[in-house]
């Protein structure tokens, strides 16, 4: 049985996934812009709804891709003499996967989790800026600048990344150089933040900290 057309369809579906991911990235940046511009919470919530809709589409595509891949794998293993009805088999598998859907699935989408985490940081930064008016300005600036300093380079970060495991941030290039160096030595990387107990920092655990980057850029403009 030839699966050339199936492979082509899978490739197209995976391209659609990349478009969904791009859409989620755009919605995330728009939400950040809205918070930064002190816009109405309703506008920000509309972006969250967009994220959930995209997460639902991503889940559906994932299930369809999985249904195709598992069906094809089974057919290749069984090698039936008569060509089976691939469309019906895929539909059956897809329906079974979709029947297990729950709203909590969408909130576990990696990009949605990033969206919520960064939105929280953006709002926190905004609230901190409001609090500056109520305390000594020099102290506020000093505290803010301390958050902007990379624990590795001891310099202000330009491209901060956040560790999803322990929550600490570092300059992207600096932490990646350490990870690469330790990898060659076959050693684990301890979080460079003083006092942190996390002893296995991995590149896959690092995500861009857009909220912090915007805060740094905003203060530098001032």
């Amino acid at each position: 049985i030839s699966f050339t057309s199936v492979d082509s369809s899978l490739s197209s579906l995976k391209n659609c996934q990349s478009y969904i991911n791009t859409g989620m990235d755009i919605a995330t940046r728009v939400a950040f812009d809205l918070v930064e511009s002190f816009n109405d919470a309703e506008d920000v919530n509309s972006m969250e709804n967009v994220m959930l809709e995209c997460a639902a589409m991503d889940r559906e595509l994932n299930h369809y891709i999985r249904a195709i891949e598992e069906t094809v794998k089974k057919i290749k293993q069984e090698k039936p003499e008569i060509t089976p009805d691939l469309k019906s088999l895929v539909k059956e598998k897809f329906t079974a996967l979709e029947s297990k859907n729950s709203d909590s699935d969408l909130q576990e989408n990696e990009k949605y989790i990033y969206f919520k985490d960064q939105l929280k940081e953006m709002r926190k930064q905004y609230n901190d800026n409001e609090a500056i008016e109520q305390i000594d300005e020099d102290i506020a600036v000093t505290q803010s600048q301390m958050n902007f300093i990379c624990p590795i380079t001891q310099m202000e970060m330009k491209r901060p990344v956040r560790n999803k495991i322990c929550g600490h941030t570092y300059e992207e290039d600096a932490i990646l150089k350490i990870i690469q160096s330790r990898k060659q030595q076959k050693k684990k990387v301890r979080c460079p933040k003083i006092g942190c107990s996390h002893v296995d920092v991995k590149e896959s655990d690092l995500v861009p900290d857009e909220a912090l980057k915007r805060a740094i850029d905003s203060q530098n403009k001032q």
Side-chain angles (χ1 to χ4, degrees):
I1 303 170
S2 175
F3 293 101
T4 304
S5 59
V6 175
D7 292 337
S8 177
S9 297
L10 278 173
S11 179
S12 297
L13 288 173
K14 288 173 182 177
N15 281 336
C16 288
Q17 273 189 310
S18 68
Y19 297 144
I20 291 173
N21 288 333
T22 299
M24 295 180 87
D25 290 339
I26 293 171
T28 300
R29 288 196 294 271
V30 170
F32 293 166
D33 289 341
L34 290 170
V35 174
E36 204 168 26
S37 305
F38 316 121
N39 234 297
D40 194 289
E42 187 177 336
D43 293 331
V44 178
N45 289 340
S46 70
M47 287 300 102
E48 182 171 353
N49 290 333
V50 169
M51 292 294 290
L52 288 170
E53 288 172 8
C54 286
M57 287 190 287
D58 186 61
R59 178 181 63 186
E60 186 175 354
L61 266 178
N62 273 328
H63 283 166
Y64 201 62
I65 289 170
R66 182 179 163 188
I68 294 172
E69 289 177 337
E70 290 185 4
T71 300
V72 168
K73 182 180 179 180
K74 185 178 180 181
I75 292 172
K76 285 181 176 179
Q77 288 175 340
E78 295 178 353
K79 298 178 182 178
E81 293 182 7
I82 302 173
T83 305
D85 186 344
L86 186 60
K87 185 177 179 179
S88 296
L89 291 174
V90 169
K91 185 177 180 180
E92 183 181 335
K93 182 69 178 177
F94 173 73
T95 302
L97 291 170
E98 284 285 289
S99 67
K100 298 176 183 178
N101 287 348
S102 69
D103 291 341
S104 61
D105 296 341
L106 305 182
Q107 296 179 6
E108 291 170 6
N109 179 281
E110 190 171 336
K111 285 190 177 290
Y112 179 76
I113 291 173
Y114 175 77
F115 170 86
K116 293 291 285 184
D117 176 65
Q118 288 287 284
L119 203 57
K120 179 182 177 182
E121 291 298 319
M122 284 287 292
R123 283 171 168 153
K124 179 183 174 183
Q125 185 63 38
Y126 171 59
N127 291 333
D128 285 348
N129 286 341
E130 285 187 330
I132 285 176
E133 298 175 5
Q134 301 171 19
I135 61 177
D136 185 275
E137 189 172 342
D138 291 335
I139 295 175
V141 170
T142 302
Q143 289 175 339
S144 183
Q145 286 175 336
M146 285 176 64
N147 295 331
F148 299 166
I149 301 301
C150 171
I152 303 167
T153 65
Q154 294 302 310
M155 296 175 66
E156 186 177 88
M157 290 179 276
K158 291 181 172 60
R159 296 180 62 182
V161 290
R162 179 181 297 275
N163 190 324
K164 292 188 292 184
I165 306 301
C166 64
H168 293 127
T169 53
Y170 334 97
E171 179 65 54
E172 184 178 29
D173 288 345
I175 188 65
L176 289 180
K177 283 179 182 177
I178 291 177
I179 291 174
Q180 188 59 37
S181 174
R182 293 288 195 279
K183 187 176 181 181
Q184 291 174 351
Q185 299 169 13
K186 296 183 178 179
K187 294 181 180 179
K188 293 182 178 180
V189 179
R190 173 182 285 275
C191 174
K193 187 74 172 179
I194 295 175
C196 182
S197 60
H198 184 47
V199 295
D200 191 12
V201 180
K202 299 176 183 176
E203 185 174 349
S204 59
D205 293 330
L206 305 176
V207 294
D209 196 328
E210 180 68 19
L212 183 58
K213 184 179 186 305
R214 286 175 181 242
I216 294 171
D217 291 345
S218 177
Q219 179 158 299
N220 288 338
K221 285 176 183 178
Q222 293 174 8

